[in-house]
Amino acid sequence: MSDLRGGLIGCGFFSINHLHGWRDVEGASIVALCDRDAKRLAIAGDQFDIGQRYSDAEEMLIKERLDFVDIATTVSSHRCLVEMAARHQVAVICQKPFAPSMQDASAMVTVCEGAGVPLMVHENFRWQSAIQTLSAIVNNGEIGAPFWGRVSFRSAYDVFSGQPYLATGERFIIEDLGIHILDIARFLFGDVAGVTARTRRVNPAIRGEDVATVLLDHENGVTSIVDCSYATRLAVEPFPETLIEVDGSEGSVRLNQGYELVVTTKGGVRRRDVSPPLLPWASRPWHNIQESVQAIQQHWVDCLRADREPATSGRDNVKTLALVEAAYASARTHEKVALGAL
Ligand code: NAD
Ligand code: 89Y
């Protein structure tokens, strides 16, 4: 079977990870690039030896025979580009945050469904191998029925030098990073009925909130806490590790800093090193994110070939986005927000 032909839109900071990932994914390759910024287009095209280059996404969609586009631009361009791909009957991957509003997100899902075009949001954190391993333990019954969890990301890493736009938006940590952590909570404990949140801005040099604490009431009765901070200086900087705690009726599981997985049951305590692989093109400390980029890309190709809906389809991701909106609403009012109310 010949490789699926992809076009990448947006050749900025994070797209370099996409392009490395695509080189090693089985069954697909990127045959064309698009960026409005000529310099970025040239750098990515030269580095990855891709000759077909466009400054206009529609022109790329018209001139190239593409099976999918991979949108790696920031949020403000997502709706226009996703709907453009749907008009051209081309399957779409779109980076997170999928949309700036629930209205835009629902519109994109409706347009793609109407056009019969597969749509996946590049929500990659749940694809980190350590998180997949922990999820398998939660699901295999070893710790019994989960009743409580915590998904935590606390750091003082300077994300603003690589992604300066993160310092200027009205919204920061929930929309940019918390969205991944909320998605992991959904992945582990299921959909959510209610959200209570508090936010703070500690760093005076940025506009949005850099600390968020969110309490989730899951539909199945599990209670979880999602907490994120980019204002937390620690003895050993954990960026970009997500730490996880799950308590179940028969035991517990912890994903500790340094990728240590600890499973505790009546039978004893089992410790395991679940460090991510350092892919040949990866660089610490980003390597756990980088392996998850390649993993979600492979998932997309496997789903497209098998005509299956991806785990983080547009339809699925709308539910994660609803948690983002609910968290901001609750932080504003100090009230609990019911998900149906959005
Ligand atoms: P960036 O600003 O560095 O790059 C975006 C690029 O898109 C720019 O080069 C810009 O010129 C181009 N662009 C914008 N609109 C365009 C259009 N209509 N047509 C063609 N090109 C266009 O941004 P970034 O830091 O690479 O982030 C991109 C996205 O990736 C963001 O949504 C961000 O949240 C996300 N991101 C995801 C992860 C993750 O782990 N999933 C990590 C970092 C960033
Ligand atoms: O943009 C963010 C993301 O998606 O992962 C980490 C990040 O790069 C900075 O918070």
PDB file of all heavy atoms in Angstrom, residues 132-162:
ATOM      1  N   GLN A 132       0.185   5.948  29.003  1.00  0.00           N
ATOM      2  CA  GLN A 132      -0.498   4.774  28.439  1.00  0.00           C
ATOM      3  C   GLN A 132      -0.305   3.564  29.373  1.00  0.00           C
ATOM      4  O   GLN A 132      -1.241   2.790  29.597  1.00  0.00           O
ATOM      5  CB  GLN A 132       0.068   4.453  27.042  1.00  0.00           C
ATOM      6  CG  GLN A 132      -0.318   5.476  25.984  1.00  0.00           C
ATOM      7  CD  GLN A 132      -1.739   5.310  25.461  1.00  0.00           C
ATOM      8  OE1 GLN A 132      -2.232   4.207  25.305  1.00  0.00           O
ATOM      9  NE2 GLN A 132      -2.407   6.426  25.203  1.00  0.00           N
ATOM     10  N   THR A 133       0.896   3.407  29.933  1.00  0.00           N
ATOM     11  CA  THR A 133       1.168   2.276  30.841  1.00  0.00           C
ATOM     12  C   THR A 133       0.319   2.404  32.104  1.00  0.00           C
ATOM     13  O   THR A 133      -0.293   1.437  32.558  1.00  0.00           O
ATOM     14  CB  THR A 133       2.677   2.244  31.209  1.00  0.00           C
ATOM     15  OG1 THR A 133       3.416   2.157  30.000  1.00  0.00           O
ATOM     16  CG2 THR A 133       3.006   1.072  32.105  1.00  0.00           C
ATOM     17  N   LEU A 134       0.267   3.629  32.654  1.00  0.00           N
ATOM     18  CA  LEU A 134      -0.538   3.838  33.865  1.00  0.00           C
ATOM     19  C   LEU A 134      -2.012   3.561  33.573  1.00  0.00           C
ATOM     20  O   LEU A 134      -2.705   2.896  34.358  1.00  0.00           O
ATOM     21  CB  LEU A 134      -0.345   5.261  34.380  1.00  0.00           C
ATOM     22  CG  LEU A 134      -1.142   5.601  35.643  1.00  0.00           C
ATOM     23  CD1 LEU A 134      -0.314   6.443  36.609  1.00  0.00           C
ATOM     24  CD2 LEU A 134      -2.450   6.329  35.336  1.00  0.00           C
ATOM     25  N   SER A 135      -2.487   4.019  32.423  1.00  0.00           N
ATOM     26  CA  SER A 135      -3.894   3.825  32.062  1.00  0.00           C
ATOM     27  C   SER A 135      -4.222   2.330  31.954  1.00  0.00           C
ATOM     28  O   SER A 135      -5.287   1.880  32.387  1.00  0.00           O
ATOM     29  CB  SER A 135      -4.166   4.556  30.746  1.00  0.00           C
ATOM     30  OG  SER A 135      -5.261   4.022  30.088  1.00  0.00           O
ATOM     31  N   ALA A 136      -3.286   1.542  31.396  1.00  0.00           N
ATOM     32  CA  ALA A 136      -3.523   0.097  31.257  1.00  0.00           C
ATOM     33  C   ALA A 136      -3.680  -0.533  32.642  1.00  0.00           C
ATOM     34  O   ALA A 136      -4.515  -1.437  32.834  1.00  0.00           O
ATOM     35  CB  ALA A 136      -2.374  -0.543  30.487  1.00  0.00           C
ATOM     36  N   ILE A 137      -2.911  -0.047  33.620  1.00  0.00           N
ATOM     37  CA  ILE A 137      -3.014  -0.597  34.990  1.00  0.00           C
ATOM     38  C   ILE A 137      -4.360  -0.218  35.616  1.00  0.00           C
ATOM     39  O   ILE A 137      -5.023  -1.040  36.236  1.00  0.00           O
ATOM     40  CB  ILE A 137      -1.818  -0.122  35.849  1.00  0.00           C
ATOM     41  CG1 ILE A 137      -0.562  -0.848  35.362  1.00  0.00           C
ATOM     42  CG2 ILE A 137      -2.053  -0.361  37.338  1.00  0.00           C
ATOM     43  CD1 ILE A 137       0.726  -0.258  35.834  1.00  0.00           C
ATOM     44  N   VAL A 138      -4.766   1.030  35.409  1.00  0.00           N
ATOM     45  CA  VAL A 138      -6.063   1.464  35.946  1.00  0.00           C
ATOM     46  C   VAL A 138      -7.181   0.608  35.336  1.00  0.00           C
ATOM     47  O   VAL A 138      -8.113   0.197  36.028  1.00  0.00           O
ATOM     48  CB  VAL A 138      -6.301   2.970  35.656  1.00  0.00           C
ATOM     49  CG1 VAL A 138      -7.722   3.397  35.993  1.00  0.00           C
ATOM     50  CG2 VAL A 138      -5.292   3.829  36.420  1.00  0.00           C
ATOM     51  N   ASN A 139      -7.043   0.292  34.050  1.00  0.00           N
ATOM     52  CA  ASN A 139      -8.123  -0.426  33.348  1.00  0.00           C
ATOM     53  C   ASN A 139      -8.085  -1.934  33.543  1.00  0.00           C
ATOM     54  O   ASN A 139      -9.083  -2.606  33.288  1.00  0.00           O
ATOM     55  CB  ASN A 139      -8.089  -0.108  31.843  1.00  0.00           C
ATOM     56  CG  ASN A 139      -8.478   1.336  31.590  1.00  0.00           C
ATOM     57  OD1 ASN A 139      -9.235   1.926  32.359  1.00  0.00           O
ATOM     58  ND2 ASN A 139      -7.934   1.931  30.543  1.00  0.00           N
ATOM     59  N   ASN A 140      -6.937  -2.487  33.981  1.00  0.00           N
ATOM     60  CA  ASN A 140      -6.889  -3.961  34.093  1.00  0.00           C
ATOM     61  C   ASN A 140      -7.440  -4.482  35.426  1.00  0.00           C
ATOM     62  O   ASN A 140      -7.421  -5.680  35.694  1.00  0.00           O
ATOM     63  CB  ASN A 140      -5.469  -4.508  33.815  1.00  0.00           C
ATOM     64  CG  ASN A 140      -4.515  -4.266  34.988  1.00  0.00           C
ATOM     65  OD1 ASN A 140      -4.906  -3.914  36.103  1.00  0.00           O
ATOM     66  ND2 ASN A 140      -3.222  -4.463  34.735  1.00  0.00           N
ATOM     67  N   GLY A 141      -7.902  -3.579  36.278  1.00  0.00           N
ATOM     68  CA  GLY A 141      -8.591  -3.994  37.500  1.00  0.00           C
ATOM     69  C   GLY A 141      -7.683  -4.240  38.686  1.00  0.00           C
ATOM     70  O   GLY A 141      -8.144  -4.469  39.806  1.00  0.00           O
ATOM     71  N   GLU A 142      -6.369  -4.151  38.469  1.00  0.00           N
ATOM     72  CA  GLU A 142      -5.420  -4.472  39.542  1.00  0.00           C
ATOM     73  C   GLU A 142      -5.625  -3.630  40.800  1.00  0.00           C
ATOM     74  O   GLU A 142      -5.500  -4.139  41.918  1.00  0.00           O
ATOM     75  CB  GLU A 142      -4.010  -4.242  38.986  1.00  0.00           C
ATOM     76  CG  GLU A 142      -2.965  -4.972  39.742  1.00  0.00           C
ATOM     77  CD  GLU A 142      -1.568  -4.741  39.154  1.00  0.00           C
ATOM     78  OE1 GLU A 142      -1.439  -4.266  38.000  1.00  0.00           O
ATOM     79  OE2 GLU A 142      -0.611  -5.039  39.887  1.00  0.00           O
ATOM     80  N   ILE A 143      -5.944  -2.367  40.638  1.00  0.00           N
ATOM     81  CA  ILE A 143      -6.136  -1.509  41.834  1.00  0.00           C
ATOM     82  C   ILE A 143      -7.633  -1.370  42.164  1.00  0.00           C
ATOM     83  O   ILE A 143      -8.026  -0.526  42.967  1.00  0.00           O
ATOM     84  CB  ILE A 143      -5.456  -0.125  41.680  1.00  0.00           C
ATOM     85  CG1 ILE A 143      -6.114   0.704  40.561  1.00  0.00           C
ATOM     86  CG2 ILE A 143      -3.957  -0.250  41.465  1.00  0.00           C
ATOM     87  CD1 ILE A 143      -5.830   2.207  40.678  1.00  0.00           C
ATOM     88  N   GLY A 144      -8.456  -2.211  41.559  1.00  0.00           N
ATOM     89  CA  GLY A 144      -9.903  -2.160  41.818  1.00  0.00           C
ATOM     90  C   GLY A 144     -10.554  -0.979  41.119  1.00  0.00           C
ATOM     91  O   GLY A 144     -10.045  -0.478  40.114  1.00  0.00           O
ATOM     92  N   ALA A 145     -11.663  -0.533  41.692  1.00  0.00           N
ATOM     93  CA  ALA A 145     -12.401   0.572  41.066  1.00  0.00           C
ATOM     94  C   ALA A 145     -11.789   1.900  41.514  1.00  0.00           C
ATOM     95  O   ALA A 145     -11.754   2.189  42.719  1.00  0.00           O
ATOM     96  CB  ALA A 145     -13.856   0.501  41.475  1.00  0.00           C
ATOM     97  N   PRO A 146     -11.320   2.717  40.576  1.00  0.00           N
ATOM     98  CA  PRO A 146     -10.758   4.021  40.968  1.00  0.00           C
ATOM     99  C   PRO A 146     -11.840   4.889  41.626  1.00  0.00           C
ATOM    100  O   PRO A 146     -12.984   4.886  41.169  1.00  0.00           O
ATOM    101  CB  PRO A 146     -10.316   4.649  39.650  1.00  0.00           C
ATOM    102  CG  PRO A 146     -10.378   3.579  38.634  1.00  0.00           C
ATOM    103  CD  PRO A 146     -11.323   2.533  39.124  1.00  0.00           C
ATOM    104  N   PHE A 147     -11.455   5.591  42.704  1.00  0.00           N
ATOM    105  CA  PHE A 147     -12.424   6.528  43.317  1.00  0.00           C
ATOM    106  C   PHE A 147     -11.873   7.940  43.432  1.00  0.00           C
ATOM    107  O   PHE A 147     -12.610   8.882  43.653  1.00  0.00           O
ATOM    108  CB  PHE A 147     -12.891   6.017  44.697  1.00  0.00           C
ATOM    109  CG  PHE A 147     -11.783   5.847  45.717  1.00  0.00           C
ATOM    110  CD1 PHE A 147     -11.343   6.901  46.495  1.00  0.00           C
ATOM    111  CD2 PHE A 147     -11.187   4.600  45.891  1.00  0.00           C
ATOM    112  CE1 PHE A 147     -10.329   6.739  47.431  1.00  0.00           C
ATOM    113  CE2 PHE A 147     -10.164   4.421  46.825  1.00  0.00           C
ATOM    114  CZ  PHE A 147      -9.732   5.496  47.596  1.00  0.00           C
ATOM    115  N   TRP A 148     -10.550   8.103  43.229  1.00  0.00           N
ATOM    116  CA  TRP A 148      -9.929   9.438  43.369  1.00  0.00           C
ATOM    117  C   TRP A 148      -8.681   9.513  42.500  1.00  0.00           C
ATOM    118  O   TRP A 148      -7.970   8.512  42.323  1.00  0.00           O
ATOM    119  CB  TRP A 148      -9.537   9.666  44.834  1.00  0.00           C
ATOM    120  CG  TRP A 148      -8.904  11.001  45.110  1.00  0.00           C
ATOM    121  CD1 TRP A 148      -9.544  12.162  45.418  1.00  0.00           C
ATOM    122  CD2 TRP A 148      -7.497  11.306  45.076  1.00  0.00           C
ATOM    123  NE1 TRP A 148      -8.617  13.177  45.580  1.00  0.00           N
ATOM    124  CE2 TRP A 148      -7.353  12.675  45.384  1.00  0.00           C
ATOM    125  CE3 TRP A 148      -6.356  10.560  44.816  1.00  0.00           C
ATOM    126  CZ2 TRP A 148      -6.121  13.314  45.432  1.00  0.00           C
ATOM    127  CZ3 TRP A 148      -5.110  11.190  44.866  1.00  0.00           C
ATOM    128  CH2 TRP A 148      -5.006  12.563  45.185  1.00  0.00           C
ATOM    129  N   GLY A 149      -8.435  10.700  41.966  1.00  0.00           N
ATOM    130  CA  GLY A 149      -7.209  10.875  41.181  1.00  0.00           C
ATOM    131  C   GLY A 149      -6.694  12.297  41.218  1.00  0.00           C
ATOM    132  O   GLY A 149      -7.418  13.236  41.580  1.00  0.00           O
ATOM    133  N   ARG A 150      -5.418  12.419  40.881  1.00  0.00           N
ATOM    134  CA  ARG A 150      -4.808  13.750  40.748  1.00  0.00           C
ATOM    135  C   ARG A 150      -3.888  13.719  39.535  1.00  0.00           C
ATOM    136  O   ARG A 150      -3.080  12.793  39.389  1.00  0.00           O
ATOM    137  CB  ARG A 150      -3.997  14.093  42.001  1.00  0.00           C
ATOM    138  CG  ARG A 150      -3.285  15.421  41.893  1.00  0.00           C
ATOM    139  CD  ARG A 150      -2.512  15.753  43.165  1.00  0.00           C
ATOM    140  NE  ARG A 150      -1.750  16.977  42.967  1.00  0.00           N
ATOM    141  CZ  ARG A 150      -0.638  17.274  43.632  1.00  0.00           C
ATOM    142  NH1 ARG A 150      -0.158  16.448  44.539  1.00  0.00           N
ATOM    143  NH2 ARG A 150       0.002  18.400  43.397  1.00  0.00           N
ATOM    144  N   VAL A 151      -4.036  14.709  38.674  1.00  0.00           N
ATOM    145  CA  VAL A 151      -3.174  14.829  37.500  1.00  0.00           C
ATOM    146  C   VAL A 151      -2.530  16.210  37.613  1.00  0.00           C
ATOM    147  O   VAL A 151      -3.227  17.229  37.629  1.00  0.00           O
ATOM    148  CB  VAL A 151      -3.983  14.676  36.187  1.00  0.00           C
ATOM    149  CG1 VAL A 151      -3.032  14.511  35.011  1.00  0.00           C
ATOM    150  CG2 VAL A 151      -4.944  13.492  36.245  1.00  0.00           C
ATOM    151  N   SER A 152      -1.210  16.211  37.710  1.00  0.00           N
ATOM    152  CA  SER A 152      -0.527  17.425  38.159  1.00  0.00           C
ATOM    153  C   SER A 152       0.648  17.799  37.243  1.00  0.00           C
ATOM    154  O   SER A 152       1.419  16.932  36.833  1.00  0.00           O
ATOM    155  CB  SER A 152      -0.005  17.152  39.579  1.00  0.00           C
ATOM    156  OG  SER A 152       0.756  18.227  40.053  1.00  0.00           O
ATOM    157  N   PHE A 153       0.757  19.098  36.957  1.00  0.00           N
ATOM    158  CA  PHE A 153       1.871  19.589  36.123  1.00  0.00           C
ATOM    159  C   PHE A 153       2.330  20.895  36.747  1.00  0.00           C
ATOM    160  O   PHE A 153       1.641  21.908  36.656  1.00  0.00           O
ATOM    161  CB  PHE A 153       1.373  19.797  34.687  1.00  0.00           C
ATOM    162  CG  PHE A 153       2.452  20.136  33.689  1.00  0.00           C
ATOM    163  CD1 PHE A 153       2.857  19.216  32.732  1.00  0.00           C
ATOM    164  CD2 PHE A 153       3.064  21.391  33.691  1.00  0.00           C
ATOM    165  CE1 PHE A 153       3.839  19.528  31.794  1.00  0.00           C
ATOM    166  CE2 PHE A 153       4.051  21.711  32.767  1.00  0.00           C
ATOM    167  CZ  PHE A 153       4.437  20.780  31.805  1.00  0.00           C
ATOM    168  N   ARG A 154       3.471  20.876  37.419  1.00  0.00           N
ATOM    169  CA  ARG A 154       3.955  22.070  38.117  1.00  0.00           C
ATOM    170  C   ARG A 154       5.419  22.299  37.732  1.00  0.00           C
ATOM    171  O   ARG A 154       6.228  21.377  37.789  1.00  0.00           O
ATOM    172  CB  ARG A 154       3.800  21.919  39.640  1.00  0.00           C
ATOM    173  CG  ARG A 154       2.413  21.448  40.053  1.00  0.00           C
ATOM    174  CD  ARG A 154       2.170  21.560  41.553  1.00  0.00           C
ATOM    175  NE  ARG A 154       1.887  22.925  41.962  1.00  0.00           N
ATOM    176  CZ  ARG A 154       0.710  23.529  41.806  1.00  0.00           C
ATOM    177  NH1 ARG A 154      -0.291  22.891  41.241  1.00  0.00           N
ATOM    178  NH2 ARG A 154       0.544  24.766  42.200  1.00  0.00           N
ATOM    179  N   SER A 155       5.742  23.541  37.379  1.00  0.00           N
ATOM    180  CA  SER A 155       7.048  23.803  36.786  1.00  0.00           C
ATOM    181  C   SER A 155       7.347  25.302  36.849  1.00  0.00           C
ATOM    182  O   SER A 155       6.451  26.123  37.084  1.00  0.00           O
ATOM    183  CB  SER A 155       6.973  23.353  35.316  1.00  0.00           C
ATOM    184  OG  SER A 155       8.057  23.847  34.570  1.00  0.00           O
ATOM    185  N   ALA A 156       8.621  25.637  36.638  1.00  0.00           N
ATOM    186  CA  ALA A 156       8.981  27.057  36.445  1.00  0.00           C
ATOM    187  C   ALA A 156       9.752  27.205  35.133  1.00  0.00           C
ATOM    188  O   ALA A 156      10.471  28.193  34.930  1.00  0.00           O
ATOM    189  CB  ALA A 156       9.815  27.566  37.617  1.00  0.00           C
ATOM    190  N   TYR A 157       9.611  26.236  34.250  1.00  0.00           N
ATOM    191  CA  TYR A 157      10.324  26.241  32.960  1.00  0.00           C
ATOM    192  C   TYR A 157       9.893  27.463  32.139  1.00  0.00           C
ATOM    193  O   TYR A 157       8.717  27.822  32.104  1.00  0.00           O
ATOM    194  CB  TYR A 157       9.975  24.951  32.214  1.00  0.00           C
ATOM    195  CG  TYR A 157      10.766  24.714  30.959  1.00  0.00           C
ATOM    196  CD1 TYR A 157      12.019  24.102  31.008  1.00  0.00           C
ATOM    197  CD2 TYR A 157      10.253  25.067  29.717  1.00  0.00           C
ATOM    198  CE1 TYR A 157      12.745  23.852  29.842  1.00  0.00           C
ATOM    199  CE2 TYR A 157      10.981  24.824  28.548  1.00  0.00           C
ATOM    200  CZ  TYR A 157      12.222  24.221  28.628  1.00  0.00           C
ATOM    201  OH  TYR A 157      12.922  23.982  27.469  1.00  0.00           O
ATOM    202  N   ASP A 158      10.859  28.064  31.461  1.00  0.00           N
ATOM    203  CA  ASP A 158      10.548  29.244  30.632  1.00  0.00           C
ATOM    204  C   ASP A 158       9.981  28.795  29.286  1.00  0.00           C
ATOM    205  O   ASP A 158      10.736  28.495  28.359  1.00  0.00           O
ATOM    206  CB  ASP A 158      11.819  30.079  30.436  1.00  0.00           C
ATOM    207  CG  ASP A 158      11.599  31.177  29.403  1.00  0.00           C
ATOM    208  OD1 ASP A 158      10.429  31.571  29.177  1.00  0.00           O
ATOM    209  OD2 ASP A 158      12.605  31.634  28.806  1.00  0.00           O
ATOM    210  N   VAL A 159       8.656  28.741  29.206  1.00  0.00           N
ATOM    211  CA  VAL A 159       8.024  28.359  27.934  1.00  0.00           C
ATOM    212  C   VAL A 159       7.864  29.567  27.010  1.00  0.00           C
ATOM    213  O   VAL A 159       7.545  29.418  25.833  1.00  0.00           O
ATOM    214  CB  VAL A 159       6.628  27.704  28.151  1.00  0.00           C
ATOM    215  CG1 VAL A 159       6.774  26.309  28.707  1.00  0.00           C
ATOM    216  CG2 VAL A 159       5.722  28.559  29.011  1.00  0.00           C
ATOM    217  N   PHE A 160       8.086  30.772  27.545  1.00  0.00           N
ATOM    218  CA  PHE A 160       7.783  31.988  26.782  1.00  0.00           C
ATOM    219  C   PHE A 160       8.847  32.305  25.737  1.00  0.00           C
ATOM    220  O   PHE A 160       8.555  32.963  24.742  1.00  0.00           O
ATOM    221  CB  PHE A 160       7.587  33.172  27.740  1.00  0.00           C
ATOM    222  CG  PHE A 160       6.593  32.853  28.822  1.00  0.00           C
ATOM    223  CD1 PHE A 160       7.001  32.636  30.136  1.00  0.00           C
ATOM    224  CD2 PHE A 160       5.244  32.718  28.510  1.00  0.00           C
ATOM    225  CE1 PHE A 160       6.084  32.316  31.118  1.00  0.00           C
ATOM    226  CE2 PHE A 160       4.310  32.392  29.491  1.00  0.00           C
ATOM    227  CZ  PHE A 160       4.742  32.181  30.801  1.00  0.00           C
ATOM    228  N   SER A 161      10.084  31.827  25.958  1.00  0.00           N
ATOM    229  CA  SER A 161      11.118  32.149  24.960  1.00  0.00           C
ATOM    230  C   SER A 161      10.843  31.414  23.647  1.00  0.00           C
ATOM    231  O   SER A 161      11.023  31.994  22.574  1.00  0.00           O
ATOM    232  CB  SER A 161      12.522  31.860  25.497  1.00  0.00           C
ATOM    233  OG  SER A 161      12.576  30.548  25.970  1.00  0.00           O
ATOM    234  N   GLY A 162      10.383  30.166  23.711  1.00  0.00           N
ATOM    235  CA  GLY A 162      10.061  29.419  22.486  1.00  0.00           C
ATOM    236  C   GLY A 162       8.696  29.778  21.925  1.00  0.00           C
ATOM    237  O   GLY A 162       8.466  29.708  20.721  1.00  0.00           O
TER     238      GLY A 162
END
